[in-house]
Amino acid sequence: MKERISTIIGDKESANIWMGTFHSVFARVLRTESDRINYPKNFTIYDTQDSRSVIKDVISELNLDDKVYKPASVQARISGAKNNLISPEEYRRSPDLTNEDIQAQRPMMADIYAAYNRKCYRAGAMDFDDLLFKTNELLRDFPDVLHYYQHKFQFILVDEYQDTNFSQYLIIKQLAALRENICVVGDDAQSIYAFRGANIQNILNFRRDYPEFAMYKLEQNYRSTKTIVNAANSIISKNKDQIKKTVWTDNEKGDYITLQRSLSDNDEGRYVANDIFETRMTRQAAFKDFAILYRTNAQSRSFEEALRKLNMPYRIYGGQSFYQRKEIKDLLAYFRLSANHNDDESLKRIINYPARGIGKTTVEKLIIASAKFDVPIWEVIQQPNTYPSELPSATMRKVMDFCTMIKSFTSQIETHNAFDLGQHIAQSSGLLKELHTDKTPEGVARYDNIQEILNGMKEFSDDVDPDNPEAVRTMTDFMIDIALLTDADKDDGDNDKISMMTVHAAKGLEFNYVYIVGLEENLFPSQMALHSREELEEERRLFYVALTRAKQRAVLSYAITRYRWGQLSQCEPSRFIEEIDQEYINVAAMVLPKQEPARSWNNERSNFFKGATSTAPRGNKPLTRLNTATQDDNQEVEEIAEGMEVEHARFGKGKVLKVEGKLPNTKATVYFPSAGQKELLVKFAKLKVL
C-alpha cells in the first residue's frame, strides 16, 4: 500500500502519511504521549506468549489451580474485557460478568485481571489489547490530545472495516467526529473474526453513524473463475445479516468445483496429496499454487503425512512464528531489558542465559522480594538495602555484574545504530558463543536464525530517512518496528511450497488451486458455532472466504469417519455443501480400498443434493474412479522410453530425456524447444510417439 501511494503522490508526500495497523499506529501515538498515562517512553509491548507468562505468575501467586484457571482461557477473558473497554474495576462491578465467572467456577477472575494489570504497569509494559485500551483512555481523559489528533488526521481511511472491534470503532469515531472525512473499505461477507472481538455491526451500521454517507459497491471479482464466483454467491445469499451485492467476473467459466468423499481422514489426506501431485504434473503448476485449508490446526496431520510420502514440500502457517523461536526471543529480551529495566519478563528470561551462576533459587528470591515490596525486580537488585532479598554476597555480585552489562548496553541505545548495538549485545552477552558451540542441526539452525535477525537489523539501519540522512536508526526504533510483526511479515526466500493453514489465516490470500477439507457437520461449521443464527452465519462467511481464495479450481472434501479425541466417529457432510447451487459441482469418485466395490453414485448424490430433480448435477462431467489407468493407458506408458521423439498437445514436439517411476505413475522428463524442459505424468500427458 505504501509503495502504491508513493507511486501516485511521490515519496516525500507519502512519507507524511501515517499508515499501519491499528496497533502500530496507536503504539506510535502512545509513545509520543506516554507521560500523560504515566508510562515510560520506551514501554515494552508484550506479545501473547509474554502476556500468558505473566498470567501464569499471577495464578500461581494467588494460589489458584491452573487446571481451573487455564492461562489461555484467562487470557482470552481479559482480552475480551479490554476490547470492550472494561477495566478491572468495571469488571468487578459487573453482575453479569461476575455471574458468568461463578457459573464457570472461576470466581477469582476479577482478581486475576487486576493483578495482571498491576504487573504490566509495574513492568512498564502493555499487551496488544492495551495499545487500544490506553489509546481510548488517552482520547477520553485528555481533550487537548483528542483535539490535536482530530486536526492532525483530517482524512481517515480504514481498510477491512468489517474486522474492527468496539475499541477500534470508538477510536475512529472520536478521531473522525470533527470533520467526518472518513472512508471505510470492507466486505461484510468476510467478517470472520468475532472470536477476536470483531463486530460485523460496525460495517452494517456505518450508514446509521454517518447519515450523509455515499456507498460504492466494488462487485467485480478479478481473481476467480465464473464457476467459483457464482458458487460463492449462492452460499452467502443464505445469510440474513448482510449488505446486498452481486459479485460478478469477466474471467472464464473454469472447472467445476470438485466434491470428494473419503472413507477416513487418512484417506482424505492421501486423496488431496495425490490430486496435488497429478494436477501439478498435468498443468505444470508450482507447489506454491496449491493451498490446503482446514477449520482447525489439528487437522493438518493426515495431510502432512501424505505430502511427506510423496516428497512434496509444504509450509504450515499459524505454526511457530520466526519471532517466537526461543533464540530470537532470548536476543529480543536483551534488547527489551536494555531499553526498559522494569521489564520483569525479559529479566527473568535472560538473567542466567547464557549460564552465569544465577540459579533458580536466586531468581525465586528476587521475584518474592519484588512481589512483597510491589516493585520491579530491577529495583530489588539495585537497592538491596531498601528491598532486601536475602541473597548471599557472592550471588549478589553475579547479579550485579549482569546489571552492569545491561546498563552498558543501555548507555549506547541513543548513540549507536540498531545493527551495531544488536551485534554488540549478541556477542557481549555470550549468546552467539553459546549457539555457535552447538553443532547439532538444531543448534546450527538457531545460530542461523540469530544471524538472520541481525541481517534484518542491518537492512533496517541502512534504510535512512531521505529528509534526515544523518539520523541514526536506533535499537528503540527497531523494537517499535518489529514489536507487532507476525510470521506473515517474514519472507524466508523459499516460497515454492504447498501452503497449509486454517481458513482464518488464509483471509486476504489467493491460490490457483484450493482444497477445502474436513467439510463435515460439527467441524465446519464448528460445533461451537451452532447456538445461534449469528454464529452460524459467521461460519458461512468463513466458508465463503475459503472458497473465494481459489482462482482456477476448488476442491471440497469430507470424510465419513474421523478420529476425534482417540475415538473413531461417524461424520455427516457439511450443510454448506448442500447450499451450493448443484450446477457448479462435479462429484468426484470416492476413495475406496481396492477390495471394496464401487458404490452407486446415484445414491451418493442424494446425500449431497436433497430435493434435486435429477440424479446428476447439470453439466457434470462423467464420474471416474481415482488413481486408475485403462489397459490402453498402460500400453501407452510402456511405449515411452528415453530418447524418443514425442508430441504434446500444448508444448508441441520434444525429446524424452528420462523416464522414471512405476505404473501407473510413470514420469517422463521431456525437452520441448518451444517450452523448455518439463516433467510430465505420462498417464495424463497424452504424449504421441513420433
Side-chain angles (χ1 to χ4, degrees):
M1 189 178 287
K2 286 181 178 178
E3 291 173 358
R4 290 178 177 180
I5 291 176
S6 295
T7 302
I8 296 170
I9 66 175
D11 292 338
K12 189 172 183 179
E13 288 75 10
S14 64
N16 295 321
I17 296 174
W18 284 44
M19 190 185 315
T21 64
F22 271 89
H23 292 89
S24 63
V25 167
F26 295 114
R28 183 176 169 187
V29 170
L30 289 171
R31 290 196 189 277
T32 304
E33 310 292 343
S34 59
D35 58 316
R36 303 289 191 119
I37 54 175
N38 297 317
Y39 267 79
K41 180 180 175 64
N42 291 333
F43 63 80
T44 299
I45 299 175
Y46 280 168
D47 62 20
T48 302
Q49 194 178 94
D50 300 321
S51 172
R52 193 166 297 175
S53 177
V54 177
I55 289 171
K56 287 178 181 177
D57 289 344
V58 170
I59 292 170
S60 176
E61 290 169 10
L62 293 175
N63 295 315
L64 298 173
D65 186 351
D66 62 4
K67 301 293 190 298
V68 177
Y69 293 90
K70 295 178 180 178
S73 299
V74 172
Q75 186 177 36
R77 186 73 167 168
I78 293 173
S79 176
K82 288 184 178 181
N83 284 332
N84 286 287
L85 303 181
I86 300 170
S87 67
E89 296 76 22
E90 291 167 325
Y91 190 102
R92 196 185 301 277
R93 292 195 301 266
S94 169
D96 290 341
L97 294 174
T98 302
N99 288 335
E100 287 175 10
D101 290 338
I102 291 172
Q103 290 176 8
Q105 298 183 329
R106 296 180 302 194
M108 296 291 288
M109 190 68 74
D111 297 272
I112 297 174
Y113 184 9
Y116 168 74
N117 257 24
R118 284 196 301 272
K119 270 186 172 287
C120 289
Y121 179 73
R122 192 180 70 194
M126 296 186 194
D127 61 25
F128 288 167
D129 299 313
D130 281 327
L131 295 175
L132 303 180
F133 188 95
K134 295 296 181 184
T135 299
N136 272 296
E137 279 191 348
L138 182 70
L139 300 180
R140 180 196 68 195
D141 297 342
F142 299 94
D144 59 318
V145 174
L146 174 60
H147 181 265
Y148 173 78
Y149 286 103
Q150 282 178 334
H151 283 80
K152 183 174 184 61
F153 302 137
Q154 296 183 31
F155 298 89
I156 298 173
L157 168 63
V158 185
D159 195 15
E160 303 287 8
Y161 192 66
Q162 78 280 352
D163 294 332
T164 54
N165 59 31
F166 177 67
S167 182
Q168 293 164 330
Y169 165 80
L170 204 58
I171 291 172
I172 293 303
K173 192 161 176 57
Q174 291 180 86
L175 292 176
L178 187 64
R179 291 183 172 84
E180 294 195 345
N181 288 331
I182 179 169
C183 173
V184 302
V185 181
D187 182 0
D188 58 289
Q190 298 190 50
S191 180
I192 59 173
Y193 294 120
F195 70 99
R196 293 182 188 168
N199 187 350
I200 191 174
Q201 297 303 320
N202 290 350
I203 192 168
L204 296 180
N205 293 334
F206 185 83
R207 292 169 287 187
R208 184 197 64 191
D209 292 336
Y210 303 96
E212 297 181 0
F213 77 98
M215 181 185 294
Y216 302 90
K217 294 184 179 181
L218 308 178
E219 297 174 302
Q220 184 171 4
N221 179 304
Y222 297 92
R223 172 190 297 151
S224 307
T225 63
K226 282 187 173 69
T227 296
I228 292 170
V229 169
N230 292 337
N233 283 342
S234 70
I235 295 163
I236 204 63
S237 66
K238 309 296 190 296
N239 272 8
K240 179 181 176 182
D241 290 341
Q242 62 173 301
I243 298 172
K244 292 290 185 181
K245 51 192 169 297
T246 304
V247 181
W248 58 277
T249 183
D250 272 338
N251 295 339
E252 63 183 2
K253 180 181 178 183
D255 295 342
Y256 290 99
I257 293 171
T258 300
L259 179 57
Q260 171 63 38
R261 177 188 184 192
S262 301
L263 285 176
S264 68
D265 46 354
N266 287 331
D267 286 329
E268 183 182 44
R270 285 191 288 271
Y271 163 74
V272 170
N274 286 330
D275 196 68
I276 290 175
F277 182 86
E278 293 171 0
T279 303
R280 181 172 173 269
M281 299 302 294
T282 57
R283 303 201 182 190
Q284 296 299 299
F287 288 118
K288 64 182 178 182
D289 293 332
F290 296 86
I292 302 171
L293 307 183
Y294 33 74
R295 182 64 180 83
T296 65
N297 277 309
Q299 292 170 249
S300 69
R301 178 197 55 81
S302 62
F303 303 100
E304 289 186 73
E305 290 178 359
L307 292 173
R308 280 199 296 266
K309 286 178 181 176
L310 292 178
N311 293 317
M312 292 194 288
Y314 62 88
R315 174 187 289 130
I316 296 180
Y317 289 82
Q320 190 179 45
S321 163
F322 176 80
Y323 301 97
Q324 293 297 328
R325 291 176 177 138
K326 180 185 180 301
E327 61 277 10
I328 301 301
K329 293 275 286 185
D330 291 337
L331 183 58
L332 293 181
Y334 275 100
F335 296 169
R336 288 176 11 173
L337 188 61
S338 300
N340 174 16
H341 293 163
N342 293 341
D343 184 351
D344 286 353
E345 291 304 304
S346 294
L347 186 147
K348 289 187 293 183
R349 187 180 188 95
I350 60 174
I351 193 170
N352 196 42
Y353 183 78
R356 46 180 64 92
I358 303 173
K360 184 178 180 182
T361 302
T362 299
V363 175
E364 286 176 350
K365 286 182 177 180
L366 293 172
I367 292 171
I368 290 170
S370 168
K372 178 181 177 180
F373 297 106
D374 196 24
V375 294
I377 296 173
W378 184 273
E379 291 300 315
V380 174
I381 297 170
Q382 294 300 298
Q383 302 183 59
N385 294 328
T386 307
Y387 310 115
S389 56
E390 301 179 3
L391 291 181
S393 56
T395 303
M396 197 65 192
R397 278 195 298 272
K398 294 175 182 177
V399 173
M400 292 304 297
D401 288 344
F402 168 75
C403 289
T404 300
M405 176 182 67
I406 296 297
K407 287 178 181 177
S408 73
F409 299 155
T410 303
S411 67
Q412 302 175 59
I413 283 181
E414 297 303 323
T415 57
H416 290 64
N417 69 39
F419 170 71
D420 290 341
L421 181 55
Q423 191 171 49
H424 173 65
I425 291 175
Q427 292 171 342
S428 301
S429 65
L431 195 58
L432 275 181
K433 183 180 179 181
E434 176 84 5
L435 295 174
H436 190 62
T437 56
D438 184 354
K439 298 301 182 183
T440 65
E442 294 80 11
V444 172
R446 286 192 286 268
Y447 183 81
D448 289 344
N449 285 336
I450 293 293
Q451 294 297 335
E452 179 64 24
I453 195 169
L454 291 174
N455 291 340
M457 297 178 79
K458 176 64 174 173
E459 185 178 347
F460 176 85
S461 299
D462 291 346
D463 186 17
V464 299
D465 183 349
D467 293 331
N468 189 11
E470 301 302 319
V472 175
R473 304 199 77 188
T474 67
M475 177 72 71
T476 302
D477 298 325
F478 177 74
M479 293 303 291
I480 294 171
D481 198 59
I482 71 160
L484 300 166
L485 287 182
T486 68
D487 206 33
D489 298 302
K490 184 180 182 299
D491 181 5
D492 64 6
D494 183 14
N495 289 324
D496 193 21
K497 296 178 180 178
I498 298 163
S499 296
M500 295 174 57
M501 66 190 82
T502 64
V503 183
H504 282 104
K507 187 169 175 292
L509 304 179
E510 57 183 38
F511 304 91
N512 285 340
Y513 309 101
V514 170
Y515 296 79
I516 308 171
V517 299
L519 274 170
E520 296 137 30
E521 283 293 297
N522 298 324
L523 183 56
F524 198 178
S526 167
Q527 187 175 10
M528 304 291 288
L530 300 178
H531 302 106
S532 68
R533 176 182 59 79
E534 289 78 12
E535 290 175 336
L536 180 59
E537 289 196 354
E538 170 138 343
E539 288 288 298
R540 188 175 287 113
R541 292 194 294 269
L542 191 60
F543 181 50
Y544 174 86
V545 166
L547 185 56
T548 53
R549 298 312 91 200
K551 297 168 69 176
Q552 296 182 20
R553 177 173 176 246
V555 176
L556 312 181
S557 170
Y558 77 94
I560 59 176
T561 62
R562 183 177 299 274
Y563 275 98
R564 289 189 181 180
W565 311 109
Q567 300 293 322
L568 187 64
S569 303
Q570 297 295 318
C571 306
E572 295 181 13
S574 169
R575 68 190 69 192
F576 297 148
I577 294 173
E578 297 178 16
E579 291 179 355
I580 303 174
D581 284 354
Q582 56 180 303
E583 63 180 289
Y584 305 118
I585 290 184
N586 175 43
V587 181
M590 181 170 62
V591 175
L592 295 172
K594 290 182 179 178
Q595 69 271 20
E596 183 174 340
R599 301 184 182 184
S600 164
W601 279 102
N602 286 341
N603 293 334
E604 295 299 334
R605 291 176 195 282
S606 65
N607 292 328
F608 301 148
F609 308 110
K610 294 176 181 176
T613 55
S614 66
T615 58
R618 293 190 299 277
N620 273 355
K621 302 171 186 177
L623 299 172
T624 58
R625 284 289 300 264
L626 297 172
N627 299 328
T628 59
T630 64
Q631 186 177 1
D632 290 340
D633 288 335
N634 289 339
Q635 289 174 352
E636 182 71 14
V637 169
E638 290 170 356
E639 290 178 5
I640 302 297
E642 185 176 325
M644 281 185 172
E645 298 288 334
V646 294
E647 186 172 8
H648 186 273
R650 178 178 173 188
F651 304 123
K653 295 180 180 179
K655 185 175 182 179
V656 179
L657 303 180
K658 183 170 61 174
V659 178
E660 52 190 335
K662 297 180 180 180
L663 293 173
N665 293 321
T666 307
K667 183 171 65 175
T669 302
V670 184
Y671 175 75
F672 297 97
S674 63
Q677 187 169 306
K678 302 289 183 182
E679 290 185 349
L680 305 172
L681 200 63
V682 176
K683 67 178 179 180
F684 292 112
K686 297 181 180 178
L687 296 173
K688 179 181 178 182
V689 179
L690 300 178

